[in-house]
Amino acid sequence: MKYQLLMYSHLATVVPCIFLGAYLLLTKKGSLIHRRLGTVYMSLMLITAIIALFIEAQVGPQLFNHFGYIHLFCILVFWTVPTAFLAIKKGKVKIHQRKMILLYAGAIILAGGFTLMPGRYLHSLFFAG
């Protein structure tokens, strides 16, 4: 039960990021709406990563009987979000852009792809018949 609660909480914060992140990457940068949605996106990504730390790895080797390889994406989030925020506050737009692309590609696309692999909860949810 605890696992499912964590998983659904994780999904509730990450699914909006799939769409918010894509929107932010594809639309005009620097507008008020971009800045506000960017704040929501970054906040949700941090919350998502925090929740993920409490979800025990179910596939592959574990560190401390809890963490799996997929938890490494939490480190990516904890590094890119604050450094991207600081970069844009300092006017370093290109650094901010690179970090936001890295965050989306790594923590949304790549990590999301891993969660759909056989043996994982989302795979059984979507593909088990």
Side-chain angles (χ1 to χ4, degrees):
M1 185 62 165
K2 176 186 167 190
Y3 181 82
Q4 285 183 325
L5 177 63
L6 287 169
M7 186 58 64
Y8 288 125
S9 299
H10 181 70
L11 286 172
T13 57
V14 77
V15 169
C17 290
I18 297 167
F19 301 102
L20 273 174
Y23 175 81
L24 290 166
L25 288 172
L26 297 172
T27 59
K28 184 178 182 294
K29 311 299 185 267
S31 67
L32 180 61
I33 190 76
H34 178 86
R35 292 192 309 269
R36 287 192 176 155
L37 289 177
T39 300
V40 172
Y41 174 71
M42 288 180 154
S43 299
L44 284 172
M45 287 300 292
L46 286 170
I47 293 166
T48 297
I50 290 167
I51 293 168
L53 289 176
F54 292 96
I55 301 172
E56 184 178 333
Q58 302 288 309
V59 176
Q62 291 181 344
L63 178 65
F64 305 120
N65 293 320
H66 181 86
F67 300 104
Y69 291 125
I70 201 160
H71 286 98
L72 293 173
F73 290 104
C74 295
I75 296 169
L76 175 69
V77 173
F78 294 140
W79 174 69
T80 57
V81 169
T83 56
F85 178 79
L86 291 173
I88 202 63
K89 289 297 179 191
K90 293 178 181 178
K92 298 179 179 180
V93 176
K94 290 292 181 196
I95 292 172
H96 173 78
Q97 288 175 336
R98 281 194 302 267
K99 289 181 184 287
M100 288 293 92
I101 291 168
L102 175 63
L103 178 64
Y104 192 83
I108 299 292
I109 296 173
L110 196 56
F114 283 131
T115 65
L116 295 172
M117 294 182 72
R120 296 205 173 268
Y121 181 74
L122 286 184
H123 182 272
S124 66
L125 196 65
F126 291 125
F127 303 115

